[in-house]
């Protein structure tokens, strides 16, 4: 404000000064126009290559010029700096105009006077021609690698200004060339606070005057949960170690390097990743003296090993980048001491970058932002300062050699496994502009699914037909006649037969009076309106007249014909009404689709698979548009019949709704069983694309890829499923806390779209026929004794209350148990086995009761009774108050024909306050045991409980048999009649009804 500010702008690129602008005064409004232009040549293989343009920005420095005053020379002081990203010039842009924000130079007057002031330079960068054709750029890819930090470094790392911490890796290019990406100038930080998140990424520049200009615009390190990373140390047991390491001694870069890969380089990269999988990332600490020289001297060559200290390597699994749609991997990677044999075995790389290819690295100091040299002649004081600096540098060089010698001697005493012992790990990110393997689009998946499903013929149009139109006319005539008769009765009362016939005159008077009442009340027109629609249908369906008549004669002729037809059929309808010839249609079936499903489950339990199949088909016949009916039948076929028929059922469900998640998953399961792996992948991928938040779809996809030995894809799907589960559990916890604060009942937890309410599938009986077994529990008292007399009900109630009710069963809290729960309902045994294996490996506190229950279910289906018994005993030990555990134990004993123990287990199940999931089959089997043991009163009681829970033909049959044996014939007949109403094809029901009639 008190003086005129004179400035100039210096433009630098790739360590070279391109030029200075003319000196310009800054106007009072804070603007200055330089009108300065400069240029540099960019060549494919020259010093300013396309690779440099990708990762190195343009640097602009605003300098303050203090004119000469008397004996003082002209002085130039840096004020601020700005950078311009040149990457858009490779993306099809010939001219780039940007507003580059200025960052104050540390300790400059602009920072001291205005620390929060913002300014910028308007810069235009243009090229004479396109640097890269649009087609070539679209076929290539942009690779960005961000090195964040190295954590838990060895204690022997010390802060030394003469030591430079470096990391380097190589990226294959076309032909035999290799791109070496070097990260220098890592900052060693002592114990303290963690690095903030988010924090900006830095340009790969050397130390510059304005540190704020190092930040890449709109590019940040955001971090994330450890479990979502792609590297190592992601398990819960590593969490505490990583938290401590992030606050301990560490080396921080926060630097991003970019490189453009053309189509040939992309192909080589994909091939190398497929062949080698692991990528070496080298880490070392190198002396500044050796890094400062561009070429290695003779002394340096003999002393290379001494100059490279703490040489380590991390192995990055790059196979993630070959997963469809994956553009980025980020994670922590352990660092190991560099050993040639180990590196070659793991990565097939035969040389070390730091040791064997140091000449290809740009280890010299970056030229960006070096303090400007005054153009004035140096003063005497300045010369003295330069001489002193030279002396200091000479002493420092001597001290550096001594330090290198001592450092090398010290490192010789270190453990060869120093990185492993310290637990050192690198955190880095590798990001592509486009995925190496494109992900299938949703439209393509839909098309592929349609191609795999045969086209479903369109349903024929419903036509009423002439017969239906005439029947409807008869019904309307009958309704109107009944209504008119009702009006007559209200006016004149009912004429009883013993009162004799009315004379003709009285009938005529009543007719005129009835006509008057119908016309004055408007009922006549209401009746006519009722008949009008049915008459129109006859005209259209019977006579097929839908257009207007051309002449009045045609109209009159048609009306005469129609009138005669209508009157004739009116008489037919009235005669049926008055003579009582109309026969009521057959009553609709009283069974619902839910009951038919239960009937089918009962038939499965009895191993009557043919009858079960009939019930499933009846459900479909009731409603062919029911997706669940098709899925249930398909699940039955998947287990007991053949996978081909199951696949047809699932495809029918997909025809009804191509976006149904459960249908897609079951189609994939059936395709795996048929070994159609390509089709299965389409189904699973379509399900995940349609519902990315489905835990079951993600987990099943992971199990499928594991089946194909594609462990990288499998792990990514598992990680996504765990991420969704954590979000769901966090949301449920938040809702629960909010409900507890408000004193309300918490809402139900979120459900997976792949889950559907499916009835528990029973375990099959050892032999076909009715459910039956042996023996009785001595403490169990029925409400009816063997002689038919009522027993003491208090004893029965006392037994039911003998065992305390178990608490509410928690829902499965792992992705694998959630998937197992779904698979058990749809008979996906092969995937159940794999999911349980993962569950066993992922559990921290050992297997749970739910795990052993799932194993019990699987072994029961496979009839592997010894293993089943081992699992159910462990489940009982873990949760003896769980009714489902005792139910499974009872089923196991029942199948082994150990009916005594089976009865004890079933009686324990019904004593709990909370029912088991398959309580219906517990009732049936326990009742059959009592019938065989001639405990008819107890059998009757149990079967009545089953009828109350869910009545079926078998439950009422059991009641009927028990009552028959107790000689309660009326109750037996009623029970058997109920059974017959539910299923009139059961021969045993007819047989007992016959016995009752004979009695």
């Amino acid at each position: 404000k008190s003086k005129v500010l004179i400035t100039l702008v210096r433009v630098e690129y790739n360590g070279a000064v391109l030029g200075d602008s003319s000196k310009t005064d800054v106007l009072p409004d804070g603007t200055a126009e330089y009108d300065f232009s400069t240029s540099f040549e960019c060549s494919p293989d020259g010093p300013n290559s396309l690779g440099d343009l990708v990762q190195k920005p343009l640097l602009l420095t605003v300098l303050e010029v203090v004119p000469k005053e008397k004996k003082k020379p002209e002085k130039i002081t840096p004020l601020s700096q700005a950078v311009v990203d040149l990457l858009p010039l490779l993306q099809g842009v010939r001219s780039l105009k940007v507003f580059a924000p200025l960052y104050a130079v540390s300790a400059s007057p602009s920072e001291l006077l205005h620390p929060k002031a913002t300014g910028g330079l308007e810069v235009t960068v243009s090229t004479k021609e396109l640097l890269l054709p649009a087609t070539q750029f679209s076929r290539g890819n942009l690779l960005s690698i961000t090195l964040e930090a190295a954590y838990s470094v060895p204690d022997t790392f010390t802060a030394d200004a003469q030591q430079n911490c470096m990391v380097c890796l190589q990226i294959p290019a076309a032909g035999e060339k290799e791109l070496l990406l070097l990260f220098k100038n890592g900052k060693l930080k002592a114990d303290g606070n963690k690095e903030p998140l988010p924090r900006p990424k830095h340009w790969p520049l050397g130390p510059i005057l304005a540190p704020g200009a190092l930040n890449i615009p709109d590019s940040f390190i955001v971090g994330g949960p450890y479990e979502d990373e792609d590297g190592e140390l992601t398990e819960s047991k590593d969490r505490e170690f990583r938290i401590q390491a992030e606050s301990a001694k560490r080396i921080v870069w926060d630097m991003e390097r970019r490189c453009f890969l053309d189509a040939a380089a992309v192909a080589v990269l994909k091939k190398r990743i497929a062949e080698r999988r692991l990528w070496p990332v080298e880490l070392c600490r190198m002396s500044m003296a050796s890094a400062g020289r561009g070429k290695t001297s003779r002394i340096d060559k003999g002393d290379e090993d001494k100059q490279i200290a703490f040489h380590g390597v991390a192995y990055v699994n790059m196979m993630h980048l070959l997963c469809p749609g994956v553009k980025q991997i980020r994670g922590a990677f352990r660092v190991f001491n560099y050993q040639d044999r180990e590196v070659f075995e793991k990565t097939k790389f035969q040389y070390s970058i730091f040791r064997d290819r140091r000449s290809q690295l740009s280890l010299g100091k970056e030229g960006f932002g070096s303090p400007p040299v005054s153009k004035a002649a140096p003063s005497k004081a300045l010369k003295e300062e330069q001489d002193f600096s030279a002396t200091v540098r000479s002493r420092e060089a001597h001290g550096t050699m001594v330090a290198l010698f001592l450092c090398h001697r010290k490192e010789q005493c270190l453990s060869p496994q120093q990185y492993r012992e310290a637990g050192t790990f690198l955190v880095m990110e590798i990001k592509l502009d486009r995925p190496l393997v494109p992900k299938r689009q949703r439209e393509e998946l839909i098309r592929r699914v349609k191609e795999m499903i045969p086209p479903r013929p369109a349903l024929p149009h419903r036509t009423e037909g002439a017969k239906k139109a005439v029947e409807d006319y008869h019904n309307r005539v009958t309704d109107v006649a009944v209504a008119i008769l009702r009006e007559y009765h209200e006016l004149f009362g009912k004429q009883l037969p013993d009162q004799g016939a009315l004379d003709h005159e009285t009938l005529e008077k009543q007719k005129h009076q009835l006509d008057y009442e119908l016309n004055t009340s408007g009922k006549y027109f209401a009746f006519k309106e009722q008949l009008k629609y049915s008459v129109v249908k006859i005209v259209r369906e019977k006579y097929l007249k839908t257009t207007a008549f051309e002449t009045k004669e045609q109209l009159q002729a048609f009306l005469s014909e129609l009138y005669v037809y209508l009157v004739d059929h009116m008489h037919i309808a009235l005669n049926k009404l008055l003579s009582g010839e109309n026969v009521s249609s057959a009553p609709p079936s009283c069974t619902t689709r839910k009951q038919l499903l239960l009937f089918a489950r009962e038939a499965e339990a009895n191993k009557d698979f043919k009858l079960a199949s009939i019930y499933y088909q009846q459900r479909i016949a009731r409603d062919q548009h029911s997706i669940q009916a098709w899925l249930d039948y398909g699940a039955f076929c998947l287990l007991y019949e053949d996978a081909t028929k199951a696949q047809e059922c699932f495809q029918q469900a997909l025809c009804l709704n191509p976006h149904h998640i459960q249908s897609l998953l079951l189609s994939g399961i059936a395709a795996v069983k048929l070994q159609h792996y390509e089709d299965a992948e389409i189904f699973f991928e379509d399900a995940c694309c349609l519902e990315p938040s489905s835990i079951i779809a993600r987990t099943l996809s992971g199990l499928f890829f594991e089946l194909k030995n594609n462990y990288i894809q499998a792990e990514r799907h598992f990680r996504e499923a765990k991420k969704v589960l954590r979000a769901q559990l966090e949301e449920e916890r938040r809702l629960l806390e909010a409900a507890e604060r408000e004193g309300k009942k918490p809402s139900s937890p979120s459900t997976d779209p792949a889950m559907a309410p499916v009835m528990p599938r029973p375990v099959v009986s050892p032999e076909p026929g009715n459910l039956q077994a042996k023996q009785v529990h001595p403490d169990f008292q029925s409400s009816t004794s063997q002689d038919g007399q009522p027993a003491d009900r208090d004893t029965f109630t006392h037994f039911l209350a003998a065992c305390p009710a178990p608490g509410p069963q928690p829902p499965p809290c792992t992705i694998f148990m959630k998937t197992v729960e779904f698979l058990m309902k749809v008979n996906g045994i092969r995937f159940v086995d794999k999911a349980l294996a993962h569950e066993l490996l992922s559990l921290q506190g050992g297997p749970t009761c739910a795990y052993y229950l799932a194993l019990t279910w699987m072994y029961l289906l496979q009839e592997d009774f010894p293993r089943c018994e081992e699992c159910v005993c462990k489940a009982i030990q873990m949760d003896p108050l769980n009714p489902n555990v005792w139910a499974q134990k009872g089923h196991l004993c029942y199948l082994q024909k150990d009916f005594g123990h089976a009865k004890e287990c079933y009686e324990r199940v019904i004593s709990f306050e909370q029912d088991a999931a398959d309580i219906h089959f517990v009732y049936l089997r326990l009742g059959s045991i009592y019938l065989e043991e001639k405990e008819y009163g107890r059998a009757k009681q149990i079967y009545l409980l089953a009828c109350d829970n869910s009545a079926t033909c078998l439950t009422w049959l059991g009641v009927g048999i028990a009552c028959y044996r107790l000689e309660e014939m009326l109750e037996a007949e009623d029970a058997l009649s109920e059974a017959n109403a539910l299923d009139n094809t059961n021969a045993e029901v007819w047989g007992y009804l016959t016995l009752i009639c004979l009695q």
Side-chain angles (χ1 to χ4, degrees), residues 802-819:
C803 296
Q809 299 300 316
C813 56
T814 66
I815 60 171
F816 300 110
M817 287 311 298
K818 280 183 173 288
T819 307

Side-chain angles (χ1 to χ4, degrees), residues 568-583:
D568 289 342
H569 280 273
M570 178 191 69
H571 288 302
I572 294 173
L574 291 176
N575 288 335
K576 286 184 179 180
L577 174 65
L578 297 177
S579 62
E581 292 179 2
N582 56 322
V583 181

Side-chain angles (χ1 to χ4, degrees), residues 746-996:
S747 58
S748 58
S750 57
T751 58
D752 194 295
M755 291 295 289
V758 183
M759 185 176 299
R761 188 173 298 278
V763 181
V764 296
S765 293
E767 56 188 14
N770 289 328
L771 298 164
Q772 50 191 340
K774 319 284 181 184
Q775 282 202 13
V776 67
H777 191 276
D779 296 331
F780 185 76
Q781 299 294 330
S782 171
S783 59
T784 306
S785 62
Q786 293 187 26
D787 56 2
Q789 299 300 321
D792 187 3
R793 184 167 180 81
D794 292 339
T795 308
F796 176 71
T797 308
H798 172 74
F799 176 79
L800 292 180
C803 296
Q809 299 300 316
C813 56
T814 66
I815 60 171
F816 300 110
M817 287 311 298
K818 280 183 173 288
T819 307
V820 165
E821 184 182 21
F822 165 76
L823 291 170
M824 288 170 63
K825 296 175 180 178
V826 297
N827 300 327
I829 297 180
R830 185 174 186 180
F831 283 93
V832 168
D833 192 16
K834 297 185 70 65
L836 289 177
H838 274 281
E839 175 71 8
L840 184 62
L841 293 175
S842 64
L843 290 172
Q844 297 296 324
T848 61
C849 179
Y851 168 82
Y852 283 119
L853 272 178
L855 273 181
T856 301
W857 172 86
M858 186 176 68
Y859 290 143
L860 277 178
L861 286 180
Q862 297 172 352
E863 296 187 356
D864 189 349
F865 297 142
R867 289 172 130 187
C868 180
E869 185 172 4
E870 180 182 351
C871 292
V872 77
C873 289
K874 290 181 179 179
I876 291 174
Q877 292 175 2
M878 300 182 70
D879 190 1
L881 302 182
N882 190 336
N884 293 316
V885 174
W886 290 103
Q888 292 295 325
K889 174 69 172 177
H891 295 329
L892 172 63
C893 296
Y894 190 89
L895 294 179
Q896 291 178 316
K897 298 186 178 181
D898 184 1
F899 301 117
H901 286 96
K903 183 177 63 174
E904 292 178 3
C905 294
Y906 290 147
E907 287 171 348
R908 186 184 290 260
V909 171
I910 65 174
S911 69
F912 288 113
E913 187 174 309
Q914 182 182 1
D915 286 340
D918 54 351
I919 189 65
H920 180 78
F921 300 97
V922 171
Y923 285 143
L924 285 179
R925 287 177 171 173
L926 181 58
S928 66
I929 290 173
Y930 287 145
L931 285 181
E932 287 298 316
E933 291 296 320
K934 300 182 180 180
E935 299 287 341
Y936 302 124
R938 295 175 183 176
K940 176 183 176 182
Q941 181 66 28
I942 291 299
Y943 279 121
L944 285 174
L945 288 175
C947 292
D948 183 64
N949 179 68
S950 49
T952 64
C953 176
L954 294 184
T955 60
W956 283 115
L957 174 61
V959 175
I961 294 174
C963 292
Y964 178 80
R965 297 303 179 187
L966 293 171
E967 299 182 357
E968 298 171 354
M969 297 302 169
L970 292 179
E971 293 185 17
E973 185 175 5
D974 292 340
L976 293 171
S977 298
E978 290 291 333
N980 215 8
L982 292 172
D983 182 10
N984 62 357
T985 63
N986 191 305
E988 195 167 0
V989 174
W990 287 107
Y992 273 99
L993 281 173
T994 305
L995 291 176
I996 291 174

Side-chain angles (χ1 to χ4, degrees), residues 55 131 325 418 437 508 537 627 631 722 792 816 872 906 911:
Q55 60 180 328
L131 297 179
Q418 52 190 329
V437 181
E508 285 297 324
K537 286 172 63 178
I627 295 178
L631 296 184
K722 292 176 182 177
D792 187 3
F816 300 110
V872 77
Y906 290 147
S911 69

Side-chain angles (χ1 to χ4, degrees), residues 660-732:
H660 194 249
I661 300 295
Q662 196 176 355
S663 302
L664 288 168
L665 295 179
L666 289 176
S667 298
I669 292 173
V672 169
K673 190 168 185 179
L674 293 171
Q675 298 184 359
H676 299 165
Y677 296 118
E678 186 177 352
D679 295 348
E681 183 174 352
I682 296 296
F683 287 124
F684 288 131
E685 188 174 350
D686 193 13
C688 292
C689 181
L690 184 65
E691 191 61 52
S693 62
S694 173
I695 295 174
I696 295 171
R698 290 286 185 187
T699 309
L700 276 177
S701 299
L703 295 174
F704 166 73
F705 282 113
E706 190 178 65
L707 193 66
K708 293 179 63 182
N709 297 326
N710 190 341
Y711 299 105
I712 299 296
Q713 281 265 55
E715 188 58 37
R716 296 192 69 86
H717 280 288
F718 293 152
R719 190 189 317 138
E720 286 297 321
K722 292 176 182 177
K723 184 177 180 180
V724 174
L725 179 60
R726 286 198 303 271
Q728 288 184 4
L729 294 177
E730 181 63 25
E731 179 67 16
E732 292 171 12

